[in-house]
């Protein structure tokens, strides 16, 4: 049995924890943890919990986020759709010929998905559920079938479940050929071929790029190779970090205090381990949520015993004669004695394999339109290459059509579903990806949840609750319009704010709700200045005549 909880929907009513306590647990007031691979003996308890969930956030043996009442097995859905198509063959003429091409694709086409993680799996499941009966190939550079990454920094480091129990459902039912442990190394869009690291070639009619991101490595390879230095992105990373923590190191150094770094620090403190967190910014989470909320996060960490060093960087990691980490040197001249260092410096999008492909791909991700069709280097959309998940960079109408790259669980699923639908649909039936970004994190006994894009804003107001009590909703705004909201242990209100964001409601929000503070004056959100620290790709334009003008990517190493 496989269980997935859509934590973007979960509002922590906790019925599941009462009905299936062996599978679902509450940490703090609102943070839900769960076992993604419980024993089959728990099935009845889990099914009762799923039925009782007021927001229907629990998925058993499936991952789609649509209404569970509409969910059917992939085989049954395929059969129904194929039968329906047999009854309504396309009419003659240009439109009919175009429909016939799509029909052949749906029945006999070759679809390749590069990236066998959450977005890739969600796309594969959607393709089968919407009637695609052709060949489906899933390519992944890790040796494992799709697994869920959020539990790695939560349930796995908590010691509750092993990393190999984080597998996602539906990996068998989608009837795919899995090429695992073999990375894609190149793309030939003219010949419609994906080149593999073992010298193999996979041909396609439609391609989905869902290669996601990887953890940013420590800048010095020799220091990164020291025993005790680890990142946290993959199952193997989590297994190794868990082993290191089980040895009870005298101190753990966490480099970076974004969401992953903060969750790792919390897991260490729960184990009673001494932790030092070194953060370049003025406070934890400041790059994602701004300085006002960053100060709250800083207070939380220090109150839970974290040695937090802000506005500081690690300049060098030092090991002993046996190659084991012993200490870190800081930019302020300080030294931290540590036996384990967790590098949590953000993510790098996996686009290197697309160099020379002619697609608009670089450190920024892979450019695509709202229908998930990839851009070429000239900004022209393609019809046979699509993008979804963390690696995608797409325009969002709610945010001035700015191009966004979102490393969110919910975005990976919904964007993959849109991409899969559009890959096998006539142009007139294609859909835009317009979902509001939703993100969550559980750390230091608090459930943090956001909707919208906080970094798009320049002002913030505490709309409900109290910063001092660490139980509040902060609304973000720009140019008189609400653009995002962040809740600390107040997740039940986020749906209201999501509706306000999608309706372009005024900022500060005009609410007649409960628990409103007396002072609701906007203040600067205090986001750090956006800087491009590593510019891996730029573009130059060649030619003079309009018919000859072309863009060319320049890669810097």
């Amino acid at each position: 049995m496989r269980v997935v909880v859509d934590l973007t929907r979960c509002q922590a009513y906790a019925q599941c924890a009462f009905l299936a306590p062996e599978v679902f647990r509450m940490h703090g007031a609102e943070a839900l943890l769960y076992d993604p691979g419980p024993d089959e003996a728990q099935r009845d308890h889990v099914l009762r919990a799923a039925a009782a969930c007021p927001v229907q956030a629990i998925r058993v043996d499936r991952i789609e986020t649509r209404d569970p009442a509409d969910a059917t097995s992939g085989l049954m859905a395929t059969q129904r759709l194929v039968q329906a198509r047999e009854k309504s063959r396309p009419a003659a003429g240009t439109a009919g010929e175009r429909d016939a091409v799509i029909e052949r694709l749906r029945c006999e086409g070759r679809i390749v998905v590069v990236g066998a993680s959450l977005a890739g799996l969600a796309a594969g499941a959607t393709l089968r559920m919407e009637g695609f009966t052709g060949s489906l190939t899933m390519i992944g550079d890790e040796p494992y079938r799709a697994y869920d990454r959020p539990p790695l920094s939560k349930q796995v480091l908590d010691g509750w479940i092993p990393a190999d129990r984080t597998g996602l459902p539906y990996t068998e039912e989608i009837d795919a050929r899995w090429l695992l442990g073999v990375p894609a190394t190149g793309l030939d869009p003219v010949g419609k071929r994906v080149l593999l690291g073992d010298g193999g070639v996979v041909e396609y009619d439609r391609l989905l790029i869902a290669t996601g991101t990887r953890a940013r490595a420590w800048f010095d390879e020799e220091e990164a190779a020291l025993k005790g230095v680890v990142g946290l992105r993959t199952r193997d990373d989590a297994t190794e970090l868990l082993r290191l923590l089980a040895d009870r190191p005298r101190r753990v150094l966490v480099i970076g205090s974004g969401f992953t770094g903060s969750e790792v620090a919390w897991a260490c403190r729960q184990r009673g381990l001494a932790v030092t967190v070194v953060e370049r910014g003025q406070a934890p989470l400041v790059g994602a949520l701004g300085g006002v909320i960053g100060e709250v996060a800083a207070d939380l960490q220090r109150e839970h015993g974290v040695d937090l060093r802000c506005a500081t960087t690690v300049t060098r990691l030092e090991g002993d004669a046996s190659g084991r980490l012993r200490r870190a040197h800081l930019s302020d001249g300080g030294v931290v004695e540590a036996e384990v260092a967790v590098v949590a410096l953000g993510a790098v999008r996996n686009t290197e394999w697309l160099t020379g492909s002619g697609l608009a791909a670089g450190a920024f991700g892979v450019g695509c339109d709202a229908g998930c069709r990839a851009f070429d280097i000239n900004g022209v959309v393609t019809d046979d290459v699509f993008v979804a998940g963390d690696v995608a960079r797409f325009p969002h109408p709610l945010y001035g059509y700015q191009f966004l790259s979102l490393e969110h669980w919910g975005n990976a699923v919904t964007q993959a579903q849109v991409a899969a639908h559009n890959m096998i649909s006539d142009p007139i039936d294609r859909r835009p990806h317009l979902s509001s970004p939703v993100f969550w994190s559980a750390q230091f006994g608090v459930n943090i949840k956001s909707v919208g894009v906080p970094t798009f804003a320049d002002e913030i107001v505490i709309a409900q609750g109290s910063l001092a009590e660490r139980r509040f909703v902060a609304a973000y705004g720009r140019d008189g319009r609400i653009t995002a909201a962040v809740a600390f242990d107040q997740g039940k209100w986020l749906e209201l704010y999501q509706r306000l964001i999608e309706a372009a409601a005024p900022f500060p929000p005009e609410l007649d709700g409960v628990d409103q503070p007396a002072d609701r004056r906007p203040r600067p959100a205090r986001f750090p200045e956006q800087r491009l620290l590593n510019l891996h790709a730029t573009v130059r334009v060649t030619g003079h005549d309009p018919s000859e003008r072309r863009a060319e990517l320049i890669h810097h190493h």
Side-chain angles (χ1 to χ4, degrees), residues 438-522:
V438 181
F439 181 79
W440 77 92
S441 175
Q443 53 184 267
F444 300 98
V446 173
N447 190 42
I448 303 173
K449 192 171 182 180
S450 75
V451 62
V453 182
T455 53
F456 187 76
D458 53 18
E459 289 187 302
I460 187 174
V461 65
I462 305 306
Q464 291 176 267
S466 164
L467 287 178
E469 296 177 4
R470 283 61 174 282
R471 192 176 179 88
F472 61 86
V473 179
Y476 292 74
R478 176 175 175 175
D479 298 330
R481 196 196 107 202
I482 183 171
T483 63
V486 171
F488 274 46
D489 280 347
Q490 291 279 18
K492 64 184 179 182
W493 294 105
L494 265 290
E495 283 191 12
L496 166 63
Y497 288 90
Q498 182 172 343
R499 291 195 296 270
L500 293 175
I501 294 165
E502 293 177 349
F507 177 85
E510 300 172 358
L511 303 173
D512 293 324
V514 299
D515 199 22
Q516 292 183 312
D519 183 3
R520 288 191 295 144
R521 291 175 297 177

Side-chain angles (χ1 to χ4, degrees), residues 372-385:
C372 305
R373 295 179 300 171
F375 292 139
D376 68 13
I377 59 175
N378 297 299
V380 178
V381 294
T382 62
D383 281 322
D384 48 27
V385 180

Side-chain angles (χ1 to χ4, degrees), residues 85 98-99 102 106 130 371 417-432:
R85 294 203 305 274
R98 183 180 60 194
D99 290 347
I102 294 296
R106 293 171 70 94
E130 295 206 3
Q417 291 171 341
V418 170
H421 170 84
N422 291 346
M423 292 173 86
I424 57 173
S425 296
D426 191 83
I428 196 171
D429 295 324
R430 288 175 178 166
R431 305 168 183 162

Side-chain angles (χ1 to χ4, degrees), residues 128-354:
R128 293 305 191 199
M129 293 179 70
E130 295 206 3
F132 175 68
T133 56
S135 71
L136 177 61
T137 302
M138 309 286 291
I139 300 172
D141 59 353
E142 290 189 64
Y144 315 111
R145 291 198 179 185
Y147 60 89
D148 211 12
R149 297 186 191 276
L152 299 181
S153 59
K154 303 174 180 71
Q155 291 96 308
V156 174
L157 289 192
D158 183 60
W160 179 18
I161 62 171
D164 60 8
R165 285 243 305 264
T166 58
L168 287 164
Y170 234 150
T171 60
E172 299 291 344
E173 291 83 348
I174 64 173
D175 185 24
R177 177 172 66 132
W178 294 81
L179 300 179
L180 301 176
V182 182
T185 56
L187 174 63
D188 173 11
V190 176
K192 293 190 175 182
R193 304 185 309 157
V194 176
L195 312 181
L196 303 180
D198 62 0
V201 173
V202 181
E203 297 181 336
Y204 65 86
D205 297 305
R206 292 283 191 275
L207 171 69
L208 177 65
I209 298 171
T211 44
T213 62
R214 64 183 183 275
R216 188 181 298 278
W218 184 245
F219 65 88
D220 186 290
E221 291 185 4
E222 290 187 5
E223 295 175 9
L226 291 171
K227 298 174 185 177
V229 178
V230 66
L232 182 58
R233 174 66 182 174
T234 68
R235 261 179 53 174
D236 291 342
D237 291 339
T239 300
E240 174 64 10
L241 179 55
L242 188 63
R243 183 190 67 79
L244 293 170
L245 298 183
D247 289 340
R248 306 293 302 175
R250 286 174 292 179
R251 180 168 295 276
V252 177
L253 170 67
V254 180
I255 308 173
S257 65
F259 288 108
T260 298
S262 296
E263 289 176 5
V264 170
W266 172 227
C268 292
R269 290 304 300 139
Q270 287 181 294
R271 289 172 168 268
L273 299 174
V275 182
T276 295
V277 174
V278 177
E279 164 59 34
R280 173 191 297 272
Q282 297 299 316
L285 310 181
V286 68
L289 304 181
V292 175
I293 306 304
E295 290 177 356
V296 178
D299 290 342
L300 269 173
Q301 292 200 16
R302 290 188 171 112
E303 288 176 10
H304 283 85
V306 173
D307 173 26
L308 179 62
R309 315 278 188 96
C310 294
T312 308
T313 59
V314 174
T315 58
R316 183 165 63 93
L317 298 175
E318 181 183 342
D320 59 19
S322 65
R324 183 173 298 277
L325 175 71
R326 288 306 178 200
R327 62 188 58 86
H329 298 265
L330 308 184
S331 59
D332 62 2
V335 175
V336 176
E337 304 287 336
E339 297 169 290
V340 174
V342 182
V343 180
L345 296 174
V348 178
R349 293 175 179 84
N350 293 316
T351 60
E352 291 85 354
W353 69 284
L354 294 169

